[in-house]
Amino acid sequence: MHPHEPELRRPLVVDSDNEEEEKAYDSDDKILIIGVDEDEAQGSGSGSGVVPPFSWKKLWLFTGPGFLMSIAFLDPGNLEGDLQAGAIAGYSLLWLLLWATAMGLLVQLLSARLGVATGRHLAELCRDEYPTWARMVLWVMAEVALIGADIQEVIGSAIAIKILSNGVLPLWAGVIITALDCFIFLFLENYGVRKLEAVFAVLIATMGVSFAWMFGETKPNGVELLLGILVPKLSSKTIRQAVGVVGCIIMPHNVFLHSALVQSREVDHSKKERVQEALKYYSIESTAALVVSFIINLFVTTVFAKGFYGTEMAKSIGLLNAGQYLEDKYGGGIFPILYIWGIGLLAAGQSSTITGTYAGQFIMGGFLNLRLKKMVEGIDHAKLCDHSNYYCCSYL
């Protein structure tokens, strides 16, 4: 036996002796990454310590967690911030959107590295590293932040349902529908992680197509768009919108979520090169996901910058009336822009609601060492949705 072999075989982080402790994913639920045997046969596997060469097939197998993470950059709260930034500040805050997304990417890459390198997610590590009082304070703060994000996600979905139903379904009914269909989507996980990831891919694609359609309908100024991205501008009149752009991008619960999602792939933590390989693919995938999210946010901001910047409507526009304002300004067309907006908003609300449920499961399970299933956490989420009905009154 090679004298260094025991060192290579030692896990990067030793698991707890308690085998019943909470884990993000059971071993049966994880996705196996193909190509290991081939790499070892070529001398680039476990014994050599060399990271295997890039493979598009492996990148595809690692693709998923980053796009689920990117949903937090596309939730209804982000769309609200985008449309108000565009309507009030025009194109001038696009540079801030770009750099806020880049900053968010850095945070999420650190979160992914934590989950891959340790084999545990952030909430579990907080539980083990901090004293009880600090752990409980962190847990409460994380839950409060999640509730704040969840409320606007649920209300965003309810607004979209009201738009698409021509006002037949009031906001409170949309809230209940959102809570119920969340269970339907989460049920897909019983058929495998990839099935659920495919649903999120469809929802992100729906947002992309909807807002790209709006972008094409309104035809924003390309020169002003490029200047807004490349030339930083900030005035006293746009401070609130600038804070909103940054605040919408940095989501605390998303850090917990991403560190758990990356564990859905089976990575041999006893082999350093396998961990490095996983980090490489997750970095590529997360970067691609946030590039897509930036483009979608860019579409929304520029559409409202083109349509409402400098108008009297700019200060009164919001999620509830944005579709009608677009309809009044640009007309119906072949497919009314009001419904295009509603479809994109519904996809944003539904996808972010489900990822919020995921985050709640990982946060509660990790901090309290509870083995929660998504459906059980969804029950708590449904209760939260009922409380969200009170907030709907402010939109009526």
Side-chain angles (χ1 to χ4, degrees), residues 253-265:
H253 71 272
N254 215 33
V255 180
F256 292 94
L257 176 66
H258 199 197
S259 64
L261 290 175
V262 295
Q263 295 176 46
S264 60
R265 272 60 176 173

PDB file of all heavy atoms in Angstrom, residues 253-265:
ATOM      1  N   HIS A 253     -31.938  33.157   2.819  1.00  0.00           N
ATOM      2  CA  HIS A 253     -32.313  31.743   2.818  1.00  0.00           C
ATOM      3  C   HIS A 253     -31.710  31.000   1.636  1.00  0.00           C
ATOM      4  O   HIS A 253     -31.568  29.776   1.674  1.00  0.00           O
ATOM      5  CB  HIS A 253     -33.836  31.611   2.799  1.00  0.00           C
ATOM      6  CG  HIS A 253     -34.483  31.994   1.506  1.00  0.00           C
ATOM      7  ND1 HIS A 253     -34.874  33.278   1.222  1.00  0.00           N
ATOM      8  CD2 HIS A 253     -34.809  31.259   0.407  1.00  0.00           C
ATOM      9  CE1 HIS A 253     -35.408  33.320   0.017  1.00  0.00           C
ATOM     10  NE2 HIS A 253     -35.384  32.113  -0.506  1.00  0.00           N
ATOM     11  N   ASN A 254     -31.331  31.728   0.586  1.00  0.00           N
ATOM     12  CA  ASN A 254     -30.778  31.092  -0.592  1.00  0.00           C
ATOM     13  C   ASN A 254     -29.397  30.496  -0.325  1.00  0.00           C
ATOM     14  O   ASN A 254     -28.989  29.536  -0.977  1.00  0.00           O
ATOM     15  CB  ASN A 254     -30.691  32.105  -1.738  1.00  0.00           C
ATOM     16  CG  ASN A 254     -30.947  31.480  -3.083  1.00  0.00           C
ATOM     17  OD1 ASN A 254     -31.730  30.542  -3.198  1.00  0.00           O
ATOM     18  ND2 ASN A 254     -30.292  31.976  -4.108  1.00  0.00           N
ATOM     19  N   VAL A 255     -28.671  31.075   0.633  1.00  0.00           N
ATOM     20  CA  VAL A 255     -27.358  30.538   0.997  1.00  0.00           C
ATOM     21  C   VAL A 255     -27.520  29.163   1.633  1.00  0.00           C
ATOM     22  O   VAL A 255     -26.781  28.220   1.326  1.00  0.00           O
ATOM     23  CB  VAL A 255     -26.632  31.499   1.954  1.00  0.00           C
ATOM     24  CG1 VAL A 255     -25.257  30.957   2.334  1.00  0.00           C
ATOM     25  CG2 VAL A 255     -26.497  32.887   1.324  1.00  0.00           C
ATOM     26  N   PHE A 256     -28.505  29.038   2.525  1.00  0.00           N
ATOM     27  CA  PHE A 256     -28.795  27.737   3.126  1.00  0.00           C
ATOM     28  C   PHE A 256     -29.254  26.745   2.054  1.00  0.00           C
ATOM     29  O   PHE A 256     -28.850  25.583   2.051  1.00  0.00           O
ATOM     30  CB  PHE A 256     -29.889  27.886   4.191  1.00  0.00           C
ATOM     31  CG  PHE A 256     -29.471  28.650   5.412  1.00  0.00           C
ATOM     32  CD1 PHE A 256     -29.706  30.009   5.510  1.00  0.00           C
ATOM     33  CD2 PHE A 256     -28.835  28.012   6.464  1.00  0.00           C
ATOM     34  CE1 PHE A 256     -29.326  30.719   6.637  1.00  0.00           C
ATOM     35  CE2 PHE A 256     -28.445  28.700   7.601  1.00  0.00           C
ATOM     36  CZ  PHE A 256     -28.700  30.065   7.688  1.00  0.00           C
ATOM     37  N   LEU A 257     -30.099  27.226   1.158  1.00  0.00           N
ATOM     38  CA  LEU A 257     -30.670  26.347   0.133  1.00  0.00           C
ATOM     39  C   LEU A 257     -29.602  25.765  -0.783  1.00  0.00           C
ATOM     40  O   LEU A 257     -29.567  24.550  -1.020  1.00  0.00           O
ATOM     41  CB  LEU A 257     -31.697  27.129  -0.686  1.00  0.00           C
ATOM     42  CG  LEU A 257     -32.334  26.397  -1.864  1.00  0.00           C
ATOM     43  CD1 LEU A 257     -33.186  25.239  -1.369  1.00  0.00           C
ATOM     44  CD2 LEU A 257     -33.172  27.351  -2.708  1.00  0.00           C
ATOM     45  N   HIS A 258     -28.720  26.604  -1.312  1.00  0.00           N
ATOM     46  CA  HIS A 258     -27.746  26.143  -2.297  1.00  0.00           C
ATOM     47  C   HIS A 258     -26.764  25.146  -1.687  1.00  0.00           C
ATOM     48  O   HIS A 258     -26.368  24.171  -2.334  1.00  0.00           O
ATOM     49  CB  HIS A 258     -26.994  27.344  -2.873  1.00  0.00           C
ATOM     50  CG  HIS A 258     -26.327  27.049  -4.172  1.00  0.00           C
ATOM     51  ND1 HIS A 258     -25.334  27.834  -4.700  1.00  0.00           N
ATOM     52  CD2 HIS A 258     -26.498  26.039  -5.059  1.00  0.00           C
ATOM     53  CE1 HIS A 258     -24.928  27.335  -5.856  1.00  0.00           C
ATOM     54  NE2 HIS A 258     -25.618  26.245  -6.094  1.00  0.00           N
ATOM     55  N   SER A 259     -26.360  25.382  -0.433  1.00  0.00           N
ATOM     56  CA  SER A 259     -25.411  24.460   0.205  1.00  0.00           C
ATOM     57  C   SER A 259     -26.023  23.077   0.394  1.00  0.00           C
ATOM     58  O   SER A 259     -25.295  22.083   0.513  1.00  0.00           O
ATOM     59  CB  SER A 259     -24.954  25.022   1.558  1.00  0.00           C
ATOM     60  OG  SER A 259     -26.038  25.114   2.472  1.00  0.00           O
ATOM     61  N   ALA A 260     -27.353  22.994   0.417  1.00  0.00           N
ATOM     62  CA  ALA A 260     -28.041  21.701   0.537  1.00  0.00           C
ATOM     63  C   ALA A 260     -28.313  21.085  -0.826  1.00  0.00           C
ATOM     64  O   ALA A 260     -28.172  19.873  -1.015  1.00  0.00           O
ATOM     65  CB  ALA A 260     -29.342  21.872   1.311  1.00  0.00           C
ATOM     66  N   LEU A 261     -28.686  21.906  -1.806  1.00  0.00           N
ATOM     67  CA  LEU A 261     -29.033  21.376  -3.130  1.00  0.00           C
ATOM     68  C   LEU A 261     -27.860  20.682  -3.804  1.00  0.00           C
ATOM     69  O   LEU A 261     -28.043  19.706  -4.544  1.00  0.00           O
ATOM     70  CB  LEU A 261     -29.538  22.515  -4.026  1.00  0.00           C
ATOM     71  CG  LEU A 261     -30.897  23.116  -3.671  1.00  0.00           C
ATOM     72  CD1 LEU A 261     -31.196  24.313  -4.575  1.00  0.00           C
ATOM     73  CD2 LEU A 261     -32.004  22.072  -3.778  1.00  0.00           C
ATOM     74  N   VAL A 262     -26.640  21.169  -3.581  1.00  0.00           N
ATOM     75  CA  VAL A 262     -25.484  20.567  -4.243  1.00  0.00           C
ATOM     76  C   VAL A 262     -25.223  19.148  -3.754  1.00  0.00           C
ATOM     77  O   VAL A 262     -24.471  18.399  -4.397  1.00  0.00           O
ATOM     78  CB  VAL A 262     -24.215  21.426  -4.046  1.00  0.00           C
ATOM     79  CG1 VAL A 262     -24.362  22.770  -4.730  1.00  0.00           C
ATOM     80  CG2 VAL A 262     -23.893  21.612  -2.571  1.00  0.00           C
ATOM     81  N   GLN A 263     -25.830  18.770  -2.663  1.00  0.00           N
ATOM     82  CA  GLN A 263     -25.630  17.419  -2.141  1.00  0.00           C
ATOM     83  C   GLN A 263     -26.550  16.397  -2.813  1.00  0.00           C
ATOM     84  O   GLN A 263     -26.558  15.221  -2.445  1.00  0.00           O
ATOM     85  CB  GLN A 263     -25.833  17.422  -0.633  1.00  0.00           C
ATOM     86  CG  GLN A 263     -24.792  18.266   0.091  1.00  0.00           C
ATOM     87  CD  GLN A 263     -25.036  18.359   1.573  1.00  0.00           C
ATOM     88  OE1 GLN A 263     -25.304  17.348   2.225  1.00  0.00           O
ATOM     89  NE2 GLN A 263     -24.967  19.560   2.118  1.00  0.00           N
ATOM     90  N   SER A 264     -27.323  16.846  -3.793  1.00  0.00           N
ATOM     91  CA  SER A 264     -28.182  15.913  -4.526  1.00  0.00           C
ATOM     92  C   SER A 264     -27.390  15.043  -5.489  1.00  0.00           C
ATOM     93  O   SER A 264     -27.933  14.103  -6.060  1.00  0.00           O
ATOM     94  CB  SER A 264     -29.254  16.690  -5.300  1.00  0.00           C
ATOM     95  OG  SER A 264     -28.659  17.576  -6.233  1.00  0.00           O
ATOM     96  N   ARG A 265     -26.118  15.357  -5.677  1.00  0.00           N
ATOM     97  CA  ARG A 265     -25.234  14.531  -6.506  1.00  0.00           C
ATOM     98  C   ARG A 265     -24.282  13.743  -5.603  1.00  0.00           C
ATOM     99  O   ARG A 265     -23.789  14.269  -4.607  1.00  0.00           O
ATOM    100  CB  ARG A 265     -24.420  15.388  -7.465  1.00  0.00           C
ATOM    101  CG  ARG A 265     -25.088  15.670  -8.796  1.00  0.00           C
ATOM    102  CD  ARG A 265     -26.397  16.388  -8.657  1.00  0.00           C
ATOM    103  NE  ARG A 265     -26.987  16.732  -9.954  1.00  0.00           N
ATOM    104  CZ  ARG A 265     -28.193  17.244 -10.080  1.00  0.00           C
ATOM    105  NH1 ARG A 265     -28.959  17.458  -9.024  1.00  0.00           N
ATOM    106  NH2 ARG A 265     -28.664  17.531 -11.278  1.00  0.00           N
TER     107      ARG A 265
END
